[in-house]
């Protein structure tokens, strides 16, 4: 028990932070804007710490079941954290564009940030890195379809018909994800896996036999971590809104923070995989997280909108639409030959830098 508590020290710190944050919530909200902003940022740090432990448990489960199930668990854990934070923030009357901006930010962060940086660093170290191009093409076309249906077409839907189209969007995302799951874990699972050459494996040092993983313990800690994140997000939402109020900060900044919280563990996992010359894991994490974000977050939040009767603004702005299409076109070209290199990584990373610049400009 003591060893478990020691391993989960970050999660314990997050629990302590939640126990402290709730009694201090009134003080944080009535002690001035600077205090609220600092409090919100400190809480974000504890949320990231908790999400790292959630991702660690998901990674243990992933290692036990192997690919492609493993990366599916990793991406689902990240999306679960994102959905919980979004749902809580939207219940506190957040910006009607928060869901749209968060999904957009998450896709840009996953594809251009994670994939771009991983391919750049992996390419510098290893040159060309191989992966299964079937998976990249499958991910790309499904991301394009899902974002087009849920975040481009709504621009042309009359306001009077939003409920009908929202219900249709939920159904379409569920069908897409059901098919994706069937392909990822069914007869076509080889789309999302890659057999690395034996010569690469022989050069690796022999690893010690991994310790047995307790499924019940890992799942229990994972679920508990998500609950703690939800509790912290409740206070973080209010303090951050007050702290940023009137500062002139673009509304998308909050969305970027939410996307970064859920993606933080994935960044480390993807970079480790790229440096270990395992680009298939990077593709599965980056593209899989983007796809899961869209086809899981959209139906949950659309269902919430139907339940409350308050629609969210899901249609992307013209700038966002252009950036998404640029990203997916570049990824379709780069991920078409089964190998990545530093140049391809840099193209994505430049797009990520452009996304950050546009966000700071409020576009």
């Amino acid at each position: 028990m003591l060893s478990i508590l020691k391993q989960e020290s970050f999660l314990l710190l997050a629990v302590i932070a939640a126990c402290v944050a709730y009694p201090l919530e009134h003080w944080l909200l009535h002690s001035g804007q600077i205090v609220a902003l600092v409090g919100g940022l400190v809480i974000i740090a504890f949320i990231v710490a908790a999400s790292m432990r959630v991702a660690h448990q998901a990674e243990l489960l992933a290692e036990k079941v192997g690919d492609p199930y493993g990366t599916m668990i990793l991406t689902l854990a990240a999306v679960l954290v994102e959905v919980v934070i979004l749902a809580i923030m939207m219940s506190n009357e957040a910006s009607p564009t928060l869901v749209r901006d968060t999904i957009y930010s998450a896709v840009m962060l996953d594809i251009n940030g994670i994939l771009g940086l991983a391919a750049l660093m992996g390419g510098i170290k290893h040159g060309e890195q191989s992966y299964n191009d079937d998976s990249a093409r499958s991910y790309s076309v499904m991301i394009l379809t899902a974002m087009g249906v849920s975040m481009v077409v709504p621009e042309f839907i009359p306001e009077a018909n939003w409920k009908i189209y929202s219900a249709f969007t939920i159904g379409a995302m569920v069908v897409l994800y059901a098919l994706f799951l069937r392909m990822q874990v069914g007869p076509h699972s080889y789309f999302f896996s890659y057999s690395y050459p034996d010569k690469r494996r022989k050069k690796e040092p022999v690893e010690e036999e991994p310790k047995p993983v307790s499924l019940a313990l890992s799942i229990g800690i994972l679920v508990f971590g998500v609950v703690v994140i939800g509790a912290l997000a409740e206070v973080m939402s209010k303090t951050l809104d007050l702290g940023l109020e009137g500062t002139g900060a673009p509304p998308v900044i909050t969305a970027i923070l939410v996307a970064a919280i859920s993606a933080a563990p994935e960044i480390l996992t993807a970079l480790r995989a790229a440096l270990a010359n395992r680009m298939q894991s990077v593709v599965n994490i980056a593209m899989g997280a983007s796809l899961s974000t869209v086809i899981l977050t959209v139906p949950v939040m659309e269902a919430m909108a139907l339940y409350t009767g308050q629609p969210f603004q899901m249609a992307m702005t013209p700038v966002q639409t252009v950036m998404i299409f640029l990203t997916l076109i570049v990824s379709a070209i780069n991920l078409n030959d089964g190998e990545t290199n530093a140049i391809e990584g840099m193209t994505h990373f430049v797009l990520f830098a452009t996304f950050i610049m546009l966000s700071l400009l409020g576009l």
Side-chain angles (χ1 to χ4, degrees), residues 213-243:
V213 177
S214 171
L215 290 177
L217 179 62
S218 292
I219 293 173
I221 295 176
L222 191 152
V223 173
F224 179 71
V226 171
V227 172
V228 172
I229 289 170
L232 287 170
E234 177 72 28
V235 182
M236 181 269 289
S237 172
K238 298 175 184 177
T239 55
L240 202 59
D241 285 345
L242 177 60

Side-chain angles (χ1 to χ4, degrees), residues 47 80 208:
I47 291 177
L80 179 60
E208 296 180 1

